[in-house]
Amino acid sequence: MNKPLVVAIVGFGKSATRYHLPYLIHRGNVQVKYVVNIQPEPQREAPYKELGIQFMDSLDPVLADDEVQLLTLCTPPATHFPLAKQVLNAGKNVMVEKPFSETAAQTEELLQLAKEKQLVAMPFQNRRFDSDYLTLKKVLERGYVGEPLELESHFDKYRPDDAIRQGKPRDGSFYGLGIHMLDQVIAVFGRPQAVGYDIRAIQNTESTVDDYYEASLYYGRFKAIVKTSPIVAAPYPRFILHGTMGSYIKYDIDQQENDLKLGMSPITTGFGQDSPDQFGVVKYHNPSGDWITKQIPSEQGDYGRVYDSLFNTILKGAPKLVSDEETLLDIEILEKGVRQSSPSVVQFG
């Protein structure tokens, strides 16, 4: 039997308790040995301690433990670069919650350091395992719509808030949510020739932190649009895909987050699954010239598969789920989008 990947989680906020630990405590190929929580919280920690997880209020003893192979950073964005650098210099593999870093220069430094030390450094791109995204990939792979011409990807909500928000780009929606949407497009379609940006605060124009963005990624004949707005009372579909032979429309976002908020375990029957009325619908022209309209059953999402990939990469030498080129490109697109006033267009080809 293969030995598990021994992991330490750094940080004990919503990210750790919602997107990481619920999946890891049931995975046979991963052992969570430590959680680093600088301010001990006995009541919140108790259920995990019962599972044998040790809580530490300092990073140093974790870095000194030869058993620990991977540290996952679930800490505020401003800490990602210095902590990831510290972890790599201590000889440990590191996975970093989004965003991986604030700048392309920081990203290059971390990736180069990892290469020099023959370690793995990778962002936590869990939304590569969203149900809706996996189903979109299935539609593309099966060629239902022919050659893809346009994709719209939406993370919209209706959450009015006119407070003045001050901060840096890393604190805004583009860095917080846009990183996932951009990565999903890049994972399928690669490097765009150009990106058009509209990034701004629409609820209070005195805010320095964006709450709205639209980025258009241009690939010759094909274009992908990623967009988030906080004031959408009648939601768009999650995905709209048009191609030379048809169209695919999918409403409703992946259900894992909703179920996690309800306290459901990922091993519960029905966890994260769409009901049939949430399935996407494709309409396409078949080779006989007939129009076909049918539902596409949603694939099963599973954020824990990020750790499955790291098990295979760290212990078996498999390629990384998110390549260094993709990691760097994701941050380049974010950084260039906030470096100039919107609207703007930047060449990437």
Side-chain angles (χ1 to χ4, degrees), residues 185-238:
V185 172
I186 288 165
V188 175
F189 297 102
R191 188 179 186 88
Q193 297 169 353
V195 179
Y197 300 96
D198 182 3
I199 306 167
R200 50 200 164 103
I202 64 171
Q203 299 199 79
N204 192 315
T205 56
E206 295 182 35
S207 294
T208 60
V209 175
D210 66 88
D211 59 4
Y212 170 99
Y213 61 83
E214 180 176 334
S216 297
L217 287 72
Y218 295 93
Y219 297 85
R221 194 178 184 191
F222 174 72
K223 177 174 76 169
I225 303 162
V226 299
K227 183 173 180 178
T228 286
S229 172
I231 305 295
V232 177
Y236 287 88
R238 171 69 182 90

Side-chain angles (χ1 to χ4, degrees), residues 136 139-140 142-152 221-222 239-249 281-287 290-294 296:
L136 174 74
V139 169
L140 287 165
R142 292 183 178 178
Y144 282 119
V145 302
E147 178 189 348
L149 299 174
E150 183 177 86
L151 173 68
E152 284 189 54
R221 194 178 184 191
F222 174 72
F239 286 115
I240 305 171
L241 173 66
H242 299 302
T244 54
M245 291 173 53
S247 297
Y248 171 71
I249 309 293
V281 175
V282 64
K283 180 178 180 179
Y284 64 97
H285 222 193
N286 71 11
D290 302 316
W291 282 106
I292 306 297
T293 301
K294 66 178 180 179
I296 305 297

Side-chain angles (χ1 to χ4, degrees), residues 166-181:
Q166 303 293 335
K168 294 187 176 182
R170 66 182 182 224
D171 304 309
S173 291
F174 193 47
Y175 265 70
L177 285 176
I179 181 64
H180 287 306
M181 302 173 77

Side-chain angles (χ1 to χ4, degrees), residues 111-124:
L111 295 175
Q112 182 59 36
L113 180 60
K115 284 182 181 178
E116 291 171 359
K117 293 184 172 292
Q118 296 184 316
L119 295 168
V120 171
M122 196 182 83
F124 181 61

